[in-house]
Amino acid sequence: DVKVTQSSRYLVKRTGEKVFLECVQDMDHENMFWYRQDPGLGLRLIYFSYDVKMKEKGDIPEGYSVSREKKERFSLILESASTNQTSMYLCASIAGGSPGGELFFGEGSRLTVL
Amino acid sequence: AQSVTQLDSQVPVFEEAPVELRCNYSSSVSVYLFWYVQYPNQGLQLLLKYLSGSTLVKGINGFEAEFNKSQTSFHLRKPSVHISDTAEYFCAVSPLSGNTGKLIFGQGTTLQVKP
């Protein structure tokens, strides 16, 4: 069974803390994505990566950074968490070269910043 | 640039009734069209997609959608819903060319099926 695994389902952090959200996929996919999900706003793309050590900004990259040291792992970093980053974060992956293919999602990481 | 508008934020419906979730999109280039579903406390999973060919596409769990190019719509339908269909549904588009998997999502529609 193919899988995208997000290491933390629920996190509570304080303002100013550094936060790491980890995502691992076991499908040997080239392309990985981090989305943010908020009620009434749908999913918004934060960052994506098409290869190891490669990253590109999505629509809302401010306040976030990413790391992709290995093909299967894509990490989202909040350098200094703020209350407006309280949200659901979704990781996804897809095989490269398949624009009409299926995007596979993790179960999400719900972050609360106090 | 592309944008997706889901016309209803919430759709309440009784069990065994038909349902339609509406989706309109805007794009200056040809796009692929998708519907994803998110069950409570889960990630999203693909329900169906339109790539080319017949404008009526069938997906999992008895859902279907019709692509209407002139109206730039991709509405999702099911003739008879079940309690288990209660979920949030997202319409999404992706350009035919360019970055794989870079989907633009709508705001989501919550389907509430009542007994």
Side-chain angles (χ1 to χ4, degrees):
Chain A
D1 195 20
V2 296
K3 210 155 184 172
V4 178
T5 302
Q6 295 183 228
S7 56
S8 303
R9 291 296 304 273
Y10 301 93
L11 304 93
V12 179
K13 298 292 181 180
R14 297 209 174 272
T15 301
E17 280 193 81
K18 191 169 186 176
V19 181
F20 292 89
L21 300 180
E22 305 284 342
C23 175
V24 177
Q25 50 93 5
D26 64 2
M27 296 165 280
D28 200 36
H29 284 169
E30 290 79 12
N31 303 343
M32 297 187 73
F33 303 82
W34 275 106
Y35 284 91
R36 172 175 170 161
Q37 181 182 5
D38 298 290
L41 297 178
L43 277 71
R44 294 177 292 167
L45 183 62
I46 305 172
Y47 267 97
F48 58 101
S49 169
Y50 290 152
D51 200 355
V52 175
K53 296 192 184 295
M54 174 269 178
K55 61 184 178 183
E56 285 194 38
K57 294 179 179 179
D59 299 317
I60 53 164
E62 297 78 19
Y64 304 95
S65 62
V66 291
S67 172
R68 191 155 181 211
E69 296 295 320
K70 293 185 177 181
K71 187 176 184 179
E72 67 270 19
R73 186 180 298 270
F74 192 36
S75 303
L76 180 68
I77 303 157
L78 288 66
E79 293 289 342
S80 177
S82 63
T83 55
N84 62 12
Q85 293 178 310
T86 291
S87 187
M88 171 71 87
Y89 292 89
L90 292 167
C91 176
S93 72
I94 189 172
S98 56
E102 179 176 355
L103 199 57
F104 290 89
F105 283 86
E107 294 190 317
S109 298
R110 185 169 293 282
L111 172 66
T112 301
V113 183
L114 302 175
Chain B
Q2 295 81 40
S3 66
V4 178
T5 302
Q6 292 182 239
L7 298 164
D8 306 291
S9 60
Q10 294 190 7
V11 174
V13 63
F14 286 104
E15 194 173 18
E16 298 183 4
V19 70
E20 178 180 79
L21 306 184
R22 297 178 295 166
C23 172
N24 287 348
Y25 70 93
S26 172
S27 177
S28 57
V29 299
S30 295
V31 294
Y32 296 126
L33 296 142
F34 305 83
W35 275 97
Y36 280 80
V37 60
Q38 183 180 34
Y39 298 106
N41 298 314
Q42 294 185 26
L44 280 71
Q45 62 184 85
L46 182 66
L47 201 55
L48 51 77
K49 62 184 178 182
Y50 173 77
L51 303 183
S52 65
S54 172
T55 57
L56 183 64
V57 293
K58 295 188 183 297
I60 61 172
N61 300 337
F63 283 92
E64 62 182 32
E66 185 155 21
F67 169 54
N68 187 317
K69 189 173 183 179
S70 63
Q71 298 187 5
T72 60
S73 67
F74 190 53
H75 300 334
L76 181 69
R77 302 185 183 100
K78 187 170 183 179
S80 175
V81 296
H82 303 287
I83 295 288
S84 59
D85 293 323
T86 294
E88 189 156 19
Y89 293 79
F90 292 94
C91 182
V93 301
S94 175
L96 268 62
S97 60
N99 298 326
T100 300
K102 193 179 176 191
L103 271 61
I104 295 93
F105 287 88
Q107 302 89 332
T109 297
T110 300
L111 176 63
Q112 302 163 321
V113 181
K114 303 176 181 181

